Amino acid sequence: RIFVLGIGFFTLCFLMTSLGGQFSAKRLGDSPFTIRTEVMGALESRGVLRRMSDMLEMLMKRMDILARLENSTDFHKGEEARFPLDRFQPAAGLMERIQAIAQNVSDIAIKVDQILRNSLLNGKVMEGRRDQCEVPRDPKFPDCAGKVEWMRARWTSDPCYAFFGVDGTECSFLIYLSEVEWFCPPLPWRNRTVAVPSPPPPPRPQAAFRRDLARLLELIGTGKESLSFMKKRIRHLAQQWLRAARRLEQKLAGRQRDQKHILIHIGFLTEESGDVFSPRVLKGGPLGEMVQWADILAALFMLGHSLRVTVSLKELQSHLGVPPGRGNCPLTSPLPFDLIYTDYHGLQQMKQHMGLSFKKYRCRVRVIDTFGTEPAYNHEEYATLRGYRTNWGYWNLQPSQFMTMFPHTPDNSFMGFVSEELNQTERQLIKANKVSSMAVVYGKEASIWKGKEKFLAILNKYMEIHGTVYYETQRPPEVPAFVKNHGLLPQHEFQQLLRKAKLFIGFGFPYEGPAPLEAIANGCVFLQARFNPPHSSLNHEFFRGKPTSREASVSSQHPYAEDFIGKPHVWTVDYNNSEEFEAAIKTIMRTQVDPYLPYEYTCEGMLERIHAYIQHQDFCTTSSLAPSPKTKSPAMQSPPSPLALSPNSTHLVWSPSTGGAPQTWPPVASLQVWLSEPQHTCTETCRRHGLVCEPTFFRFLNKEEVFLQLSIACDSTESEMNHLYPAVAQNVRECYLQKEPLLFSCAGYNTKYRRLCPCRDFRQGQVALCRDCL
């Protein structure tokens, strides 16, 4: 009896589980891609029901035999028989229930059979519909036919198409191209649920300045020497970051700041890009990029934003939601990040794996670009036509999306890095312990010393020379015997060496690294060579292939130190003139200098700058961009100029009487319009007036009436693509307006033209921000 009861209970459980499993799938016919699967599931359901019906019938037969056997036995026991019969009543009730269940199962099997017949019939209809789709002719979707043709020939070229349901039929192409991509109109027979208005998104959490960097060190991860280097740097500067964050928090006085979700993908550290830096960290390789990335990570984290850090392609794909395949399909879900900081390697990786989503979301990207990307190299069509095409560049981004190590071109955003600040006690100690006859050479690779024997011999007459050149077993032959070579030093030991030295001398390479600023911050004088002619992509191999001409700006090894710091901290001399070189050394030995660090290279300066960029730079809304390049002529399409002559009639300013100034960043109140000399870039023109070129203002002066306001009579006015426009060819009085907003550029000059240049003021010690830009 217990056995019979157990069998009955088991059968009920089996019945419920089987029915639940078979009928929990999607409804038949929800999608043409699921019909075959659902039909097969229904066939299996019918088989299960029949098997359960057979089992129940067999169970009833066995229980009937047991009941007869029990009755026969109890008949010979007389009056005792009533007790077993009483005890058997529950079994009889169970049997009745099982009979009822068996009847229900039989009914269900019949109904399933009917559903199957209808489903198979509908499936044939739907199958026919799938194979008989026609490409719609809709003028709103002009690319649809071409895309379908491409899919016919190439849909198997990437597994991601099958991932989204493409199976080679015409309908699957159209469904993909209308629902995953957007090249075709939706098919009318598709079951499309009416979109229910989604509730407004909840208010964003506010960013709060952080008080501890421990969580950031966890986010960075382990496994690479380069990551270890970054973490050591962050730990070393932790107290300075914390103090700077407190000062900026007080300066902002409780201003509301939305917390951004930010992805930091350091592409040059991925295995796919070669990761040439990690193995060279301990061998004197260039560390400037890793110094900058460490400081970017620290600044973003201290500002209170939510970060994800990746140094592998697999992690990048996971964070972005890349579908399986070779990267031709869009992302599987909306991009979860407000901003993505990466480099050129990472940019290329994102484009390869995001498909069409890259074009949609590229406005959120910020590219850490050491030397910068000028607009002429950024605009793909223009770069190809005019010979500016290089190994890098041609991404058609807004030029301000590129973020540089130094402010060499205002076309890009100046990101920078930080140098260690000294307190008053440390400054006094450095001054007391300086050795006026001690020099340190800038250069950890032996090749930098090659051919410099003449300069070293002169320097050796006056100073003890120290080097930090990497070597494994013996002194590199390029380093003279009279040089005291310390080998590659850890950062804190190198700092101690600079704190004792009087002179930090560069021999022309590396360009624009962080070490000269560190030396100046530790009380050294930096001596460097003047380049004549200036180095550029036109005459120097190092710059060839980089997306910048830098025609007149690389006049020395470190132009920022020359232009923004200068004497007495920075001396730039002609190394080909031995007398000038020797005289400079003598003067430097007698000159007393204090440790000096520009504000924009302090932790607070960098926090202030990145905060302003995150709050105000928006490349995803049309209001922040220039007018469409498809207009015939900006002069014809725009309202009258809101500019007016300055009181001294030398330049134009924003007219206070205009009223209703547009909400721009930087604010238009800081705008001044100057006319350049033929041989000057707009960068140089603005600098000569104590200002900074501001490319976002070009759209306000790209009008014919602005020439008239500056008393320039134009015999003709044309609108063309040229990175030097707006400009006037003064000899023939021809005026030119810019046709392509992406080509507005502070860089570049031609002796034929005088350029219209938009300039602005800037905060003391913070050239990236105007006075009212914070």
Side-chain angles (χ1 to χ4, degrees), residues 67-233:
R68 286 199 300 271
L69 180 62
E70 182 92 16
N71 291 335
S72 175
T73 303
D74 290 340
F75 176 77
H76 297 287
K77 292 182 181 179
E79 294 185 0
E80 296 177 2
R82 65 175 178 271
F83 297 104
L85 287 172
D86 291 341
R87 288 195 296 269
F88 193 73
Q89 290 306 313
L94 178 62
M95 189 171 176
E96 292 175 1
R97 292 190 184 95
I98 291 175
Q99 285 177 327
I101 292 172
Q103 183 61 44
N104 288 336
V105 170
S106 179
D107 294 342
I108 291 173
I110 294 171
K111 290 179 180 178
V112 167
D113 190 62
Q114 293 174 349
I115 292 170
L116 270 174
R117 294 178 185 279
N118 294 332
S119 296
L120 288 172
L121 182 62
N122 291 336
K124 291 179 180 178
V125 173
M126 296 297 288
E127 192 73 26
R129 185 178 289 174
R130 293 176 71 208
D131 293 331
Q132 296 174 8
C133 283
E134 293 184 1
V135 178
R137 304 295 177 183
D138 189 332
K140 296 179 182 178
F141 299 88
D143 299 324
C144 184
K147 290 293 180 180
V148 171
E149 188 67 30
W150 189 95
M151 292 290 288
R152 288 193 194 107
R154 301 291 302 279
W155 76 271
T156 58
S157 63
D158 194 324
C160 72
Y161 297 118
F163 173 81
F164 282 110
V166 177
D167 62 1
T169 60
E170 206 81 350
C171 288
S172 70
F173 298 153
L174 291 170
I175 291 170
Y176 173 83
L177 291 171
S178 62
E179 297 180 14
V180 180
E181 296 184 6
W182 46 88
F183 293 105
C184 295
L187 298 177
W189 53 267
R190 289 283 289 170
N191 291 332
R192 301 179 63 85
T193 306
V194 178
V196 178
S198 56
R204 273 183 172 271
Q206 293 299 295
F209 287 94
R210 291 196 169 93
R211 302 286 183 255
D212 185 8
L213 284 160
R215 174 58 184 152
L216 174 61
L217 300 178
E218 294 177 11
L219 287 171
I220 293 174
T222 58
K224 292 177 179 286
E225 288 292 342
S226 49
L227 298 180
S228 299
F229 173 85
M230 292 183 198
K231 290 164 77 171
K232 287 178 183 177
R233 177 174 176 82

Side-chain angles (χ1 to χ4, degrees), residues 348-609:
Q348 184 66 44
Q349 291 167 353
M350 289 169 58
K351 183 178 181 182
Q352 289 174 348
H353 294 277
M354 290 177 67
L356 292 174
S357 295
F358 177 78
K359 185 175 182 181
K360 178 179 181 181
Y361 293 120
R362 65 183 177 180
C363 61
R364 304 187 190 185
V365 174
R366 306 293 183 265
V367 185
I368 307 305
D369 177 12
T370 304
F371 293 98
T373 298
E374 294 174 2
Y377 296 80
N378 170 61
H379 191 282
E380 185 174 18
E381 180 187 357
Y382 185 77
T384 304
L385 292 174
R386 298 296 186 94
Y388 290 103
R389 185 80 180 234
T390 66
N391 295 333
W392 310 99
Y394 59 84
W395 286 91
N396 292 324
L397 300 178
Q398 291 295 320
S400 295
Q401 289 178 255
F402 297 98
M403 301 188 134
T404 59
M405 185 173 281
F406 292 95
H408 23 58
T409 172
D411 293 320
N412 304 147
S413 298
F414 164 44
M415 171 60 76
F417 57 94
V418 305
S419 288
E420 188 171 357
E421 294 179 78
L422 304 175
N423 58 39
Q424 195 58 37
T425 302
E426 290 171 325
R427 294 166 67 92
Q428 293 300 326
L429 196 61
I430 286 174
K431 291 180 68 174
N433 294 330
K434 277 291 178 186
V435 179
S436 61
S437 59
M438 177 179 172
V440 175
V441 175
Y442 181 18
K444 294 176 288 187
E445 296 184 11
S447 59
I448 295 172
W449 296 65
K450 191 173 183 179
K452 306 301 188 297
E453 296 82 2
K454 179 180 177 181
F455 311 124
L456 290 169
I458 296 174
L459 182 61
N460 190 47
K461 289 166 49 178
Y462 301 96
M463 291 186 162
E464 182 184 80
I465 305 175
H466 293 251
T468 57
V469 183
Y470 170 79
Y471 62 95
E472 291 183 355
T473 57
Q474 59 184 358
R475 173 187 289 266
E478 294 85 355
V479 180
F482 55 76
V483 174
K484 185 176 181 180
N485 187 24
H486 299 261
L488 194 64
L489 294 177
Q491 188 69 13
H492 69 280
E493 293 184 27
F494 181 62
Q495 293 274 1
Q496 295 302 318
L497 190 66
L498 292 176
R499 291 184 178 189
K500 292 174 64 177
K502 175 73 174 182
L503 177 67
F504 189 63
I505 181 170
F507 285 139
F509 191 83
Y511 295 104
E512 299 179 312
L517 289 190
E518 293 178 353
I520 296 167
N522 283 286
C524 293
V525 173
F526 177 52
L527 177 64
Q528 63 173 345
R530 180 184 297 115
F531 298 150
N532 190 16
H535 290 182
S536 71
S537 58
L538 304 177
N539 61 14
H540 203 274
E541 188 62 33
F542 178 82
F543 290 102
R544 199 159 289 131
K546 292 182 171 58
T548 173
S549 59
R550 306 287 294 278
E551 290 152 337
S553 59
V554 190
S555 56
S556 62
Q557 181 175 353
H558 207 289
Y560 176 85
E562 178 185 6
D563 296 334
F564 288 85
I565 300 177
K567 292 181 179 180
H569 302 279
V570 179
W571 289 63
T572 306
V573 301
D574 183 2
Y575 278 23
N576 293 320
N577 187 329
S578 299
E579 294 179 358
E580 182 181 357
F581 178 76
E582 190 168 358
I585 293 172
K586 292 178 181 178
T587 306
I588 288 169
M589 291 180 69
R590 298 191 302 266
T591 304
Q592 296 295 321
V593 296
D594 293 328
Y596 173 72
L597 180 62
Y599 174 76
E600 55 200 357
Y601 284 96
T602 65
C603 291
E604 184 178 354
M606 187 168 184
L607 284 174
E608 183 180 276
R609 191 164 58 248

Side-chain angles (χ1 to χ4, degrees), residues 683-700:
T683 302
E684 294 173 290
T685 299
C686 295
R687 187 179 299 163
R688 286 171 174 263
H689 297 289
L691 303 168
V692 174
C693 182
E694 180 50 63
T696 59
F697 289 156
F698 267 113
R699 55 179 168 154
F700 298 118

Side-chain angles (χ1 to χ4, degrees), residues 382 386 627-629 631-639 641 673 698-708 710 712 714 716-729 733-745 753-756:
Y382 185 77
R386 298 296 186 94
S628 169
T631 56
K632 288 183 181 179
S633 167
M636 297 292 185
Q637 301 291 330
S638 53
S641 170
V673 182
F698 267 113
R699 55 179 168 154
F700 298 118
L701 51 97
N702 192 42
K703 310 175 194 297
E704 185 175 4
E705 52 265 38
V706 174
F707 290 106
L708 298 175
L710 288 169
I712 299 171
C714 301
S716 65
T717 303
E718 298 180 18
S719 179
E720 297 180 6
M721 282 202 315
N722 191 308
H723 70 287
L724 303 180
Y725 296 166
V728 56
R733 294 197 299 181
E734 293 176 347
C735 297
Y736 298 93
L737 300 176
Q738 180 59 258
K739 185 178 181 180
E740 171 53 79
L742 285 180
L743 287 173
F744 284 137
S745 177
Y753 299 116
R754 298 185 71 185
R755 301 188 58 190
L756 291 183

